[in-house]
Amino acid sequence: MEPNKFRESRQAINRMCDHIDQLIEKKAMEESKASFEEVNAELEALRPQAEGEIQERSVKNLGMKLNILQGKISKLKAKKTTTRRSGTAKSLIVWDEERVGQLSAPFLKKVFANMAGDKDAKVFFGTTGKGIRPNYRIEFNDKRVLGFTGSGHKPQEDLPASGAKNLSPPFAFEVIEAALMNKK
């Protein structure tokens, strides 16, 4: 290839590489990938036209530069579309006696069993999720508080703060017992 034309092509590819590097700095993954495909096509078109040792070495160096850019692009993460804090917040479940009565009989049996026959115990259900197997907290008569997972009814180590916004109002022992009796 004529040296001046080759130099112009090489400089154009270098400018495109610099542009991609700037896009990577801005963490613009999609734009970086699109520009990379474009510059890669340019280099592939230039490769067979290289004549002589200098032009071939120049093409090889540009190829190494593109490999480095490709590695940087692969480390970029896609932008999240919506987040809980900045996007629309999920609606919390509103628990009432009717909703408690809709819980499955096996679930209610385990909640009832975990209340350990304490007629003064109160249950607080989690207000996040789908409300099918909610996590729950039991406050016993002796002021002891235990949290349980909804899926396995296993005790939880860490409990949210006592005034947590993700908990329902308390439901008395009698409410759980009545809901369970209605399932039989």
Side-chain angles (χ1 to χ4, degrees), residues 95 97-108 111 125 131-134 176 179-180 183:
W95 287 99
E97 289 186 26
E98 181 183 342
R99 180 98 192 215
V100 171
Q102 293 173 355
L103 291 169
S104 70
F107 182 86
L108 286 171
V111 171
F125 292 104
I132 298 169
R133 291 185 310 246
I176 303 302
L180 186 55
K183 295 286 179 183

Side-chain angles (χ1 to χ4, degrees), residues 3-178:
N4 285 336
K5 277 190 153 190
F6 182 82
R7 185 175 64 251
E8 288 171 12
S9 295
R10 181 179 52 80
Q11 288 173 339
I13 291 173
N14 268 323
R15 282 191 299 275
M16 292 170 83
C17 288
D18 291 341
H19 177 69
I20 292 171
D21 220 7
Q22 291 171 354
L23 290 172
I24 292 170
E25 288 295 317
K26 294 178 185 174
K27 299 188 183 336
M29 186 177 82
E30 295 302 320
E31 294 88 344
S32 298
K33 283 182 177 180
S35 295
F36 178 81
E37 294 300 324
E38 186 179 330
V39 74
N40 199 32
E42 291 286 326
L43 181 61
E44 289 306 313
L46 183 64
R47 194 178 302 272
Q49 297 177 29
E51 296 173 354
E53 184 182 337
I54 294 174
Q55 288 183 2
E56 287 173 2
R57 188 173 54 226
S58 187
V59 167
K60 183 179 178 185
N61 289 340
L62 286 172
M64 290 188 324
K65 194 172 193 176
L66 284 182
N67 284 339
I68 291 169
L69 288 174
Q70 187 175 29
K72 287 181 178 180
I73 291 171
S74 70
K75 292 178 183 174
L76 290 177
K77 293 186 173 130
K79 289 184 181 178
K80 295 180 181 176
T81 51
T82 57
T83 62
R84 197 171 219 190
R85 291 188 179 119
S86 65
T88 57
K90 289 184 177 179
S91 59
L92 298 177
I93 299 167
V94 178
W95 287 99
D96 56 16
E97 289 186 26
E98 181 183 342
R99 180 98 192 215
V100 171
Q102 293 173 355
L103 291 169
S104 70
F107 182 86
L108 286 171
K109 280 181 190 173
K110 290 184 180 178
V111 171
F112 191 70
N114 283 336
M115 293 178 88
D118 184 346
K119 295 197 183 288
D120 293 324
K122 296 178 243 168
V123 178
F124 300 81
F125 292 104
T127 58
T128 59
K130 296 179 182 175
I132 298 169
R133 291 185 310 246
N135 291 347
Y136 57 97
R137 177 190 288 186
I138 301 175
E139 189 176 296
F140 294 94
N141 185 33
D142 60 4
K143 302 298 180 208
R144 218 171 14 111
V145 178
L146 290 176
F148 296 90
T149 62
S151 57
H153 300 274
K154 305 229 182 311
Q156 291 179 314
E157 296 296 319
D158 297 326
L159 293 177
S162 59
K165 64 181 179 184
N166 292 341
L167 290 175
S168 71
F171 292 97
F173 181 87
E174 294 81 24
V175 173
I176 303 302
E177 185 178 39

